[in-house]
Amino acid sequence: MGELPAQVAAPTPGGGRRPFSVYLHVPYCRVRCGYCDFNTYTNLTMGQGASAEDFVGTLAGELRAARRAMDDAGLPVRAAQTVFVGGGTPTMLPAADLVDMLELVRECFGLAADAEVTTEANPDSVDEAGLAALAEGGFTRVSFGMQSAVPHVLKVLERTHEPSRVPRVVEWARRAGLSTSLDLIYGAPGESAEDWQRSLDAVTLIGPDHVSAYALVIEEGTRMWGQVHRGELPMPEDDDEATKYETADAALGQAGYEWYEISNWARPGAECRHNQAYWLDWDWWGAGPGAHSHLGDVRLWNTKHPVAWAGQIATGHLPVAGHEVIDAESRELERIMLGIRLCEGIELASLENRPDCPSAERPDAGRATPPHLVPVVAGLVGNGLLDAGAALRGRAVLTLRGRLMADTVTRALTR
């Protein structure tokens, strides 16, 4: 009915509030790729409030209701440090609509003067004029779904753009003054080592500011999952994907990119601050069908289908389908699981059994490794999963091999 759980007001242990971000989910796509399990729809005319042409107006209703709910819960207004428009394919909407969405964020929450503002885009869903309009309207960054430079791999992934399109759109974005990122997927059925190297060579030749590379995960219920289980496509192999990750790290490192999170590399200063917000436990509001939010000790998730989402907003309700309160033990596990993914790792002293102190800014920073973890850390270093020099300096930092086994490291550190 528009009220938020009381736990959204939980302060950080050190006092004050976490920084704040906004995620906006645009659910429309021209084609739904076979591997995709995101909340996306190819029907752009689903009915009043849920159609693409109505989307900005409906989103305005949610953002204004969210601001009222935060005010009622006693949450201080904090200007958004980052805004990320994802999907779906946000650039299925006109650039003017995306700029209007950004203005809604500014109206409802405020926008930091140096805010990072990103939209996702497919290479064939933008033109030069549209990218220039986004930059003029306040966007600072665009993330293109390249996925591969090899036609037969793109076909398996059901991507609709031609490889030659990618360098063109990156150049258009640069001319507009936008920072650029390219997303890659490795491990697609039928992708050889040579195919993957070809994609990496294409990326380094294009030279974006940022690169994300994700192993293909075939989720149950997707069209590709059905193809695999009918024997029409092979299941990706863990060893093949591990080798391709190592190839990516070597190629990107040689080209001047530095890894800052397991699946992300950037030129110095071009790291994605919005993604860092997730890994560093910021607060954020997620607006749009199926979007997730995180405020204080509460996670909330929106109604998934656009028609139902729009209907709730039309009746004055927050379109929140459910929520959960994160207890201290779960928050501590997540702090370690997410922190270990980052290039700086985590302070070993912070791994002392202190579930009552889950903040990344812990008062025990700088102290020695907890005695019960000394043999654990030594074993992880001996197995090549943690960097020995960093461990001597009191930090748990993954090696290249450790990045491939991050879950193993997390389990060892949280026993």
Side-chain angles (χ1 to χ4, degrees):
M1 295 296 294
E3 297 178 355
L4 294 173
Q7 292 89 341
V8 300
T12 62
R17 296 293 308 177
R18 301 176 184 87
F20 181 69
S21 291
V22 173
Y23 172 75
L24 305 175
H25 186 77
V26 178
Y28 311 110
C29 275
R30 181 176 302 158
V31 174
R32 183 175 175 85
C33 301
Y35 63 89
C36 179
D37 71 335
F38 294 160
N39 189 34
T40 64
Y41 304 84
T42 57
N43 181 2
L44 275 63
T45 57
M46 285 182 272
Q48 186 173 4
S51 296
E53 64 179 14
D54 301 327
F55 185 78
V56 176
T58 307
L59 188 75
E62 177 180 352
L63 290 174
R64 290 166 182 156
R67 170 59 193 271
R68 290 194 298 269
M70 291 181 194
D71 287 344
D72 291 344
L75 288 179
V77 176
R78 291 160 289 154
Q81 302 296 311
T82 70
V83 178
F84 195 99
V85 187
T89 307
T91 44
M92 290 290 290
L93 299 180
D97 282 5
L98 299 182
V99 171
D100 286 347
M101 289 161 56
L102 180 59
E103 287 305 307
L104 285 168
V105 173
R106 193 189 306 273
E107 169 198 324
C108 294
F109 305 111
L111 196 63
D114 63 344
E116 175 195 88
V117 182
T118 304
T119 185
E120 293 181 327
N122 284 343
D124 54 359
S125 68
V126 296
D127 57 26
E128 187 167 11
L131 290 168
L134 290 174
E136 185 177 351
F139 282 77
T140 65
R141 190 172 178 277
V142 60
S143 180
F144 293 110
M146 175 182 174
Q147 317 311 5
S148 175
V150 180
H152 78 84
V153 176
L154 290 173
K155 183 177 180 180
V156 169
L157 294 173
E158 300 184 61
R159 305 297 289 181
T160 57
H161 67 272
E162 295 292 330
S164 60
R165 179 81 174 177
V166 178
R168 292 177 63 195
V169 298
V170 170
E171 179 57 29
W172 292 341
R174 285 186 181 130
R175 289 179 194 168
L178 295 166
S179 180
T180 56
S181 179
L182 293 177
D183 285 357
L184 295 173
I185 290 177
Y186 57 90
E191 181 189 60
S192 67
E194 292 76 18
D195 292 332
W196 178 233
Q197 186 64 58
R198 182 175 164 187
S199 292
L200 292 169
D201 291 344
V203 166
T204 56
L205 182 63
I206 294 168
D209 303 294
H210 181 281
V211 180
S212 298
Y214 302 103
L216 178 65
V217 177
I218 300 180
E219 301 287 356
E220 184 173 353
T222 62
R223 186 160 57 250
M224 186 172 281
W225 182 86
Q227 291 172 306
V228 167
H229 283 264
R230 289 192 300 270
E232 298 168 8
L233 292 174
M235 178 69 79
E237 296 180 359
D238 291 344
D239 289 347
D240 175 69
E241 291 189 332
T243 299
K244 287 174 177 171
Y245 180 87
E246 292 170 339
T247 301
D249 188 67
L252 294 171
Q254 188 173 9
Y257 296 91
E258 299 176 0
W259 82 274
Y260 70 97
E261 190 275 340
I262 286 178
S263 299
N264 290 273
W265 294 257
R267 299 203 186 279
E271 298 84 1
C272 179
R273 288 163 51 201
H274 187 84
N275 284 344
Q276 289 175 318
Y278 296 145
W279 301 317
L280 295 174
D281 196 34
W282 290 16
D283 283 348
W284 68 88
W285 185 268
H292 286 228
S293 302
H294 173 239
L295 297 171
D297 289 331
V298 179
R299 282 197 198 88
L300 311 100
W301 50 93
N302 278 1
T303 298
K304 189 172 182 180
H305 197 280
V307 172
W309 167 80
Q312 288 179 283
I313 295 169
T315 57
H317 295 177
L318 270 179
V320 174
H323 77 276
E324 64 177 348
V325 178
I326 312 165
D327 61 29
E329 183 177 354
S330 296
R331 184 177 283 284
E332 176 67 356
L333 174 62
E334 290 178 7
R335 182 187 73 85
I336 297 168
M337 178 180 66
L338 296 175
I340 201 68
R341 296 180 63 89
L342 300 174
C343 63
E344 62 267 28
I346 54 178
E347 189 83 25
L348 284 166
S350 75
L351 299 175
E352 191 170 0
N353 186 22
R354 294 283 305 282
D356 59 320
C357 184
S359 172
E361 299 177 357
R362 299 166 71 93
D364 49 3
R367 288 173 44 190
T369 302
H372 74 283
L373 285 178
V374 170
V376 174
V377 172
L380 292 170
V381 169
N383 288 328
L385 303 181
L386 289 182
D387 180 85
L392 289 174
R393 297 190 299 273
R395 298 199 70 83
V397 174
L398 296 174
T399 62
L400 175 58
R401 172 177 161 81
R403 283 183 253 163
L404 296 169
M405 302 179 67
D407 290 346
T408 297
V409 175
T410 298
R411 286 194 296 270
L413 294 176
T414 55
R415 288 173 183 164

